[in-house]
Amino acid sequence: MNIKAFKTIVLAATAFGTTAYAVGATKTIELPADGVQLKASPLPGYAKAQANCVACHSAEYMKYQPPTAARPYWEAMVKRMKVVFKAPIADDDMPAIVDYLVKTYGNEQPK
Ligand code: HEC
């Protein structure tokens, strides 16, 4: 290949790259809908749930649990995440997380 041909190829590649970049720049980033975030709460378990419960899946999973679910149901759920799926949840954090879940998604929600 002579030098002139090489330069032409480089210029063409640069021009193409610039075009591709311009097209890419018009893309928008879609953030997940608010519905899949954990519901905000002043309860201490809220931050713990954020740290422990949404690493593997979105908060959508909590949303689709029955609102009639009582405390033992949520206890079993959190334990299952830890034992079956190896979620690294500290035992000390579990009561606060369960408390947050049952009062936010379960049968202890404020009426
Ligand atoms: C290590 C990964 C991991 C972490 C961390 C985790 N989960 Fe899960 N969770 C899973 C997997 C995997 C499933 C899917 C099970 C299935 O599809 O059957 C699941 C499913 C669920 C479901 C759906 C209902 C069900 O029985 O499948 C709920 C509710 C849930 N998780 C709540 C939680 C809560 C609350 C926490 C925090 C205490 C948590 N998860 C942390 C892995 C995790």
Side-chain angles (χ1 to χ4, degrees):
M1 191 203 297
N2 66 37
I3 284 291
K4 205 173 171 198
F6 180 68
K7 268 193 185 156
T8 310
I9 291 164
V10 170
L11 282 176
T14 309
F16 178 76
T18 309
T19 310
Y21 179 77
V23 170
T26 62
K27 274 188 189 160
T28 53
I29 296 161
E30 302 222 353
L31 294 169
D34 281 343
V36 297
Q37 311 288 320
L38 284 170
K39 273 190 222 161
S41 163
L43 294 168
Y46 171 50
K48 293 184 195 297
Q50 282 184 308
N52 288 284
C53 302
V54 288
C56 303
H57 49 68
S58 79
E60 221 168 344
Y61 280 50
M62 278 54 114
K63 220 173 85 186
Y64 294 121
Q65 297 307 299
T68 51
R71 198 167 280 265
Y73 175 92
W74 294 100
E75 271 164 10
M77 178 71 70
V78 174
K79 268 200 197 116
R80 194 161 80 85
M81 293 304 129
K82 178 164 176 153
V83 176
V84 182
F85 302 123
K86 310 281 179 248
I89 307 162
D91 287 342
D92 287 353
D93 287 340
M94 284 165 88
I97 293 173
V98 170
D99 193 61
Y100 161 75
L101 291 169
V102 69
K103 288 177 178 165
T104 309
Y105 297 98
N107 73 349
E108 292 181 30
Q109 291 179 58
K111 295 274 149 33

